[in-house]
Amino acid sequence: GPAPACVLGIDLGTTSVKAALLVMGKQGQVVAESCSRETQAHTSSLEAGPQGMEQNVQKIIKALNECLAALPQQQLQRVSHIGISGQMHGIVFWKKDKGCKWTECDTGPTFVPEEVSHLITWQDGRCSPTFLSSLPLPQSHISLATGFGCATVYWYLKNSPDFLKSYDAAGTIHDYVVAMLCDLKKPLMSVQNAASWGYFNCRSKSWNTDILKKSGFPVDLLPEVGDPGSIAGKTISAWHGIPKGTKVGIALGDFQCSVYSCLTERTDAVLNISTSSQLTVSMPPGFQPPETPDPSSAVTYFPYFDGDYLAVAASLNGGNVLATFVDMVAQWTEELGLQVEKSAIYTKIIEAALAHNTTKLSIHPTIFGERHVPGQLASVTNIAVSDLTLGHVTRALCHGIIENLSSMLPVQHLMEMGVRRILGSGSALARNEVLRQELARIFPFPVVYGKDVDAAVGAAMVM
């Protein structure tokens, strides 16, 4: 018979673009091919200066085109659906009728950005706490923060109003790609992405238009909103061999797609420790978040799929804490006139920590702060002469990273939510036996490793 159809999943990340082709196997969907390319898109912000975090959209789309060109043509020709996810909160502006131009490349037609702004990413810091407190209070269960799309628009209104006059459409970077592929006259955004921008009410699935209009916000820039998992449109042209008329899903949040790629049971929690760390559990059907946010709460409720929510303890501290510790040790050894490779230091500190099963030393490792307690930084207590070895310090550091997560979403809460096991993922957890030991010590659930989170795969699975 004819070869089976494929589903293409794309994730537009902070540092790289990934594409994955899924086909139906005997055990369900399997990844047939995947490809990743670094975007190297970071660029300086003329208006916001050092606080700004912007990316060049041309470079992101170039990486996307390179990714697709590297996938097998015969499989791309069998793609029936495209699912796209990307970094939430960020915003890109474009001109509706001049957002891109279609051109020929070696693998067929593709689009290149035309009248498009930089992407202002979720890491953007231009909106100071003082500026945010001057904005109208949103009608939303999520606290407004710098890097959120609507906050960025407000910043331009105040600091560079002429900038906004050049554009008549806006969305996340993945909303932009969907709009270009389907030639949408008005951008379409999922509830997941809309919630990440601020000034969006998840209960009514609507923007806070009355609040925004009163303060002079250009509400015409706001996209229309649809349900995650729905179809946004069809491709208006063949694209790298993918047939014209292929169905394209509404753009999704990368976090939700990452969870979707591995979460199969409601009784599972997902713990991901990479640069930062997240502990996630799905809320029971019918759950509605509180109408107003609690800024001091460590847990945020993210819209998921089919009207469900994820409870997320998103810590700013994870593998980055250990990386900083390694940097510190490397710097000390250099100051002592010695040269040691960082990779060698990492291996040695883990080996040293494995030699000590416990330590009395206590490290609260939040050197990057936390969103719910930004002023609380790291501290070391219970320092005894016997616990000053590299092994003791590394053990205490790993214990502190896991303990910090358990303080944000306690074991007792997980039990009350019906959690029966934890799915452990992320590069820091995969390569650090001490972190895994501390996870087993603090969380009394069986932990399953090996099923990694993958937003591109999740985006394809949703389709």
Side-chain angles (χ1 to χ4, degrees):
C6 299
V7 179
L8 174 65
I10 293 167
D11 179 54
L12 303 164
T14 308
T15 54
S16 64
V17 170
K18 184 171 183 185
L21 279 168
L22 268 61
V23 293
M24 191 56 79
K26 287 177 183 172
Q27 304 295 318
Q29 286 180 315
V30 291
V31 179
E33 298 282 344
S34 70
C35 178
S36 179
R37 290 285 185 275
E38 287 198 5
T39 55
Q40 296 175 329
H42 285 290
T43 185
S44 55
S45 169
L46 294 175
E47 291 101 349
Q51 278 76 41
M53 280 293 265
E54 298 186 10
Q55 291 189 349
N56 182 310
V57 173
Q58 278 80 5
K59 287 187 177 178
I60 296 170
I61 302 305
K62 181 173 178 277
L64 172 60
N65 285 328
E66 286 171 1
C67 243
L68 295 177
L71 293 172
Q73 274 281 302
Q74 66 273 25
Q75 284 182 312
L76 288 175
Q77 286 161 11
R78 298 205 306 271
V79 168
S80 63
H81 291 74
I82 302 171
I84 303 179
S85 71
Q87 46 177 292
M88 291 188 293
H89 308 299
I91 186 168
V92 60
F93 302 87
W94 67 91
K95 202 91 168 129
K96 277 179 202 163
D97 52 349
K98 292 180 182 166
C100 75
K101 63 178 178 196
W102 284 83
T103 179
E104 279 291 329
C105 67
D106 293 345
T107 51
T110 187
F111 70 89
V112 290
E114 209 169 12
E115 292 194 27
V116 180
S117 73
H118 283 164
L119 162 66
I120 297 95
T121 79
W122 63 275
Q123 294 166 305
D124 189 84
R126 72 187 66 196
C127 298
S128 67
T130 309
F131 176 77
L132 289 170
S133 65
S134 74
L135 301 179
L137 205 61
Q139 212 174 42
S140 167
H141 76 279
I142 296 173
S143 294
L144 194 65
T146 185
F148 281 29
C150 286
T152 303
V153 173
Y154 270 122
W155 187 92
Y156 276 114
L157 264 182
K158 184 186 176 189
N159 296 284
S160 188
D162 286 347
F163 169 88
L164 294 173
K165 291 174 186 169
S166 310
Y167 305 103
D168 55 9
T172 64
I173 182 64
H174 35 313
D175 294 322
Y176 165 75
V177 171
V178 170
M180 297 306 106
L181 286 177
C182 304
D183 193 25
L184 300 181
K185 296 305 171 204
K186 175 94 174 164
L188 183 59
M189 189 182 235
S190 68
V191 168
Q192 295 171 352
N193 287 327
S196 82
W197 265 19
Y199 294 97
F200 183 80
N201 187 317
C202 287
R203 290 183 182 217
S204 62
K205 294 185 187 177
S206 62
W207 297 105
N208 301 167
T209 41
D210 290 349
I211 295 168
L212 294 165
K213 272 181 185 168
K214 274 182 195 165
S215 58
F217 188 100
V219 290
D220 291 347
L221 280 176
L222 295 171
E224 289 176 359
V225 181
D227 289 325
S230 58
I231 301 297
K234 294 179 180 180
T235 53
I236 56 154
S237 163
W239 184 44
H240 290 285
I242 298 164
K244 178 183 176 179
T246 299
K247 289 178 180 173
V248 182
I250 193 167
L252 305 165
D254 53 355
F255 181 77
Q256 288 89 337
C257 287
S258 293
V259 172
Y260 196 87
S261 72
C262 68
L263 190 69
T264 50
E265 303 291 333
R266 280 191 180 270
T267 51
D268 288 343
V270 180
L271 174 64
N272 181 57
I273 306 182
S274 297
T275 305
S276 55
S277 52
Q278 302 88 26
L279 180 58
T280 311
V281 60
S282 61
M283 298 303 291
F287 168 84
Q288 286 293 326
E291 292 207 9
T292 52
D294 175 2
S296 64
S297 171
V299 175
T300 307
Y301 299 102
F302 282 28
Y304 193 43
F305 295 97
D306 303 318
D308 287 350
Y309 284 84
L310 296 173
V312 187
S315 170
L316 301 176
N317 300 274
N320 51 2
V321 172
L322 286 159
T324 306
F325 178 60
V326 168
D327 287 345
M328 183 186 80
V329 174
Q331 192 179 337
W332 284 11
T333 52
E334 198 177 314
E335 286 174 17
L336 292 168
L338 305 166
Q339 281 286 326
V340 188
E341 286 291 322
K342 285 181 186 175
S343 57
I345 293 172
Y346 196 89
T347 306
K348 290 285 185 193
I349 64 170
I350 299 300
E351 281 174 8
L354 288 170
H356 301 281
N357 193 33
T358 58
T359 181
K360 295 188 187 78
L361 190 67
S362 176
I363 300 180
H364 192 75
T366 52
I367 52 172
F368 298 101
E370 292 293 9
R371 288 190 182 97
H372 61 291
V373 276
Q376 184 183 295
L377 297 176
S379 60
V380 185
T381 53
N382 232 32
I383 306 167
V385 174
S386 58
D387 294 350
L388 292 177
T389 66
L390 264 181
H392 279 289
V393 175
T394 306
R395 171 68 67 179
L397 204 52
C398 291
H399 181 86
I401 290 168
I402 304 294
E403 196 171 50
N404 180 51
L405 277 166
S406 80
S407 74
M408 293 171 74
L409 192 48
V411 169
Q412 188 61 35
H413 285 199
L414 293 176
M415 286 177 163
E416 287 165 7
M417 289 169 167
V419 170
R420 292 198 192 137
R421 67 173 181 172
I422 290 175
L423 306 178
S425 66
S427 52
L429 208 50
R431 57 191 279 222
N432 188 330
E433 173 64 22
V434 187
L435 269 180
R436 295 197 293 274
Q437 288 179 358
E438 293 305 322
L439 176 57
R441 193 192 306 274
I442 293 171
F443 287 94
F445 305 101
V447 184
V448 178
Y449 294 103
K451 186 138 172 106
D452 214 359
V453 296
D454 190 320
V457 173
M461 287 170 67
V462 172
M463 301 310 297

